[in-house]
Amino acid sequence: MSNSSGKTFRTTSFGTSHGKAIGAIVDGCPANLDLNEEDIQKELDKRKPGTSKITSPRKEADKIEILSGLFNGKTDGTPICGVVYNKNQVSKDYEGIKNTPRPGHGDLGWIEKYGNYNYNGGGRGSGRVSIGHVIGGAIAKKLLQETYNIKVISHVVQIGNIKTSSTDINEIEEKVQLNDVRCCDKEAGKAMEKLILEKKAEGDSVGGIVETIAVNVPAGIGEPVFGKLDGDISKALMEIGSVKGVEIGLGFDVATASASEINDEFYYKKDKILTKTNNSGGILGGISNGMPIVTRIAVKPTPSISKNQNTIDLSKGEDCIINIEGRHDPCICPRITTVSESTIAMVLADHMIRSGFIHPNDLDKMKK
């Protein structure tokens, strides 16, 4: 089973939803980065459940404990291990799915592949495992911010059929925390929340689209054939649970456009090369071009719903009806914003080191 992401900046995730703990080991972070538990905690707080009526009611503090990798308030170049202990598991809610794989979940695939499947809370396949992503991403975000002032910001642009348009990253950063949906459009955010609560009352769920933008990424990271920056970003985003589609820049809209409409034309602004538009989403030929990197992910509705659904009973070899218990999000999008930020930050940190922009061992030796 693969549990690691990255080549030089490498994050290995461990733990299960109802196990003792979940965490991550981050290897390859250069020494002398100022880092403390609060840097990670503020990111985990954005992802944790039980914070509003549109998230899972499971109450977890998700308190981070750093076990290694720091000395005198700075990274020391050794693996950084962060752990979050599970405190509020209710495993009895999952006894009913032991032999009845849930529609829309990976239960059957896990059973077929591994046989010994930890079904409590979805085990290793639970969205709670994304705590590991956020630990790695928080460290990556601090590294990118401290070295190149790179910011990675995510927001919800669509829930169901309710849409909002992309806005300036400074506006997103300022307004995204003003509502529980994490939508920077106030009116659209209200409508989105209303729809989520309606689906929740029906025992159902709803999906949407999350956009993530990275700014101040220098031109020249990524590879032209294998190891393309957009290829690695797409792969990492698709590896987040419940993500079923990834777009970069215009994404699928390029299929209905002509080149003269969407080619990003270059121009000089003083000594800096910019493009008049950013339809490519900041990446051309697999390599960053210095413009904001813009991605969108399509997030499916939470498959655990309280409505009756058809499935099979593996112990009896017959069809049956399943009624899923437990505590689940009526919409994953608001909490997955932080996971998307973290995922992209990890990929960028990895490529920044690989491309020579960040010194692989010691930040004090780095020359911008």
Side-chain angles (χ1 to χ4, degrees):
M1 183 187 298
S2 177
N3 295 293
S4 301
S5 176
K7 291 187 177 180
T8 53
F9 184 96
R10 188 168 180 82
T11 300
T12 300
S13 168
F14 61 85
T16 61
S17 177
H18 285 210
K20 186 173 183 179
I22 291 177
I25 298 171
V26 178
D27 201 5
C29 181
N32 289 308
L33 173 68
D34 289 322
L35 187 71
N36 56 46
E37 290 179 343
E38 179 55 33
D39 292 320
I40 301 174
Q41 191 63 55
K42 67 182 181 181
E43 299 298 320
L44 287 171
D45 286 347
K46 295 190 298 184
R47 194 223 71 95
K48 70 181 182 182
T51 57
S52 77
K53 55 190 175 183
I54 62 170
T55 65
S56 165
R58 178 174 176 172
K59 289 287 186 180
E60 292 279 6
D62 286 352
K63 180 69 175 174
I64 183 69
E65 182 179 346
I66 297 179
L67 304 182
S68 65
L70 301 184
F71 183 70
N72 290 334
K74 294 186 176 184
T75 57
D76 60 9
T78 65
I80 304 164
C81 180
V83 64
V84 169
Y85 292 97
N86 294 319
K87 301 290 187 181
N88 192 18
Q89 310 96 310
V90 185
S91 296
K92 66 179 180 62
D93 287 343
Y94 292 87
E95 281 296 323
I97 69 164
K98 182 178 180 179
N99 296 306
T100 52
R102 295 165 295 176
H105 278 274
D107 297 340
L108 185 60
W110 279 76
I111 292 168
E112 294 288 345
K113 186 174 179 67
Y114 298 107
N116 186 20
Y117 172 49
N118 181 354
Y119 52 84
N120 290 322
R124 186 79 179 128
S126 168
R128 186 158 174 75
V129 171
S130 63
I131 283 174
H133 294 64
V134 177
I135 293 171
I139 297 168
K141 289 177 78 171
K142 186 71 182 290
L143 177 64
L144 296 170
Q145 177 80 40
E146 292 294 310
T147 54
Y148 280 84
N149 194 32
I150 294 171
K151 292 182 180 181
V152 186
I153 303 294
S154 185
H155 65 134
V156 174
V157 295
Q158 183 173 342
I159 298 291
N161 290 322
I162 303 168
K163 301 179 181 181
T164 181
S165 58
S166 305
T167 57
D168 177 80
I169 190 167
N170 294 318
E171 185 178 356
I172 295 169
E173 189 175 22
E174 177 187 350
K175 295 181 177 180
V176 73
Q177 305 268 22
L178 297 181
N179 58 61
D180 294 329
V181 184
R182 294 186 64 80
C183 172
C184 58
D185 183 323
K186 183 178 179 181
E187 295 305 314
K190 287 181 180 178
M192 290 175 180
E193 181 171 344
K194 182 174 181 290
L195 176 60
I196 293 170
L197 292 175
E198 287 174 353
K199 291 295 181 181
K200 179 181 179 181
E202 296 169 4
D204 214 334
S205 63
V206 65
I209 295 176
V210 169
E211 181 178 73
T212 306
I213 305 171
V215 295
N216 299 327
V217 179
I221 71 169
E223 302 294 336
V225 184
F226 300 115
K228 289 177 182 284
L229 181 59
D230 43 359
D232 284 354
I233 286 174
S234 298
K235 178 179 184 296
L237 289 173
M238 280 297 297
E239 290 177 337
I240 301 172
S242 295
V243 173
K244 300 303 290 182
V246 175
E247 289 187 324
I248 295 178
L250 280 185
F252 279 88
D253 285 344
V254 302
T256 58
S258 59
S260 60
E261 295 174 307
I262 66 168
N263 282 351
D264 297 317
E265 298 179 328
F266 297 105
Y267 73 100
Y268 277 109
K269 186 175 182 179
K270 296 182 178 179
D271 293 330
K272 191 173 182 180
I273 300 173
L274 301 174
T275 60
K276 293 182 179 179
T277 54
N278 191 27
N279 295 320
S280 66
I283 304 171
L284 286 168
I287 302 171
S288 62
N289 64 6
M291 298 297 288
I293 294 174
V294 182
T295 72
R296 281 174 300 281
I297 52 175
V299 183
K300 72 177 184 179
T302 312
S304 287
I305 56 176
S306 58
K307 287 187 171 185
N308 287 341
Q309 299 177 84
N310 295 306
T311 187
I312 54 175
D313 188 322
L314 295 172
S315 64
K316 298 178 180 179
E318 61 185 29
D319 297 342
C320 67
I321 301 295
I322 187 172
N323 183 273
I324 300 171
E325 298 183 0
R327 299 162 296 178
H328 309 283
D329 293 83
C331 180
I332 303 171
C333 293
R335 293 173 62 209
I336 213 171
T337 54
T338 307
V339 183
S340 179
E341 288 179 9
S342 297
T343 298
I344 290 175
M346 287 190 290
V347 174
L348 292 178
D350 188 40
H351 274 275
M352 289 286 286
I353 297 171
R354 288 159 57 184
S355 296
F357 286 89
I358 296 176
H359 194 283
N361 301 317
D362 185 353
L363 295 187
D364 288 349
K365 296 179 181 178
M366 190 181 75
K367 294 181 181 179
K368 294 185 181 179

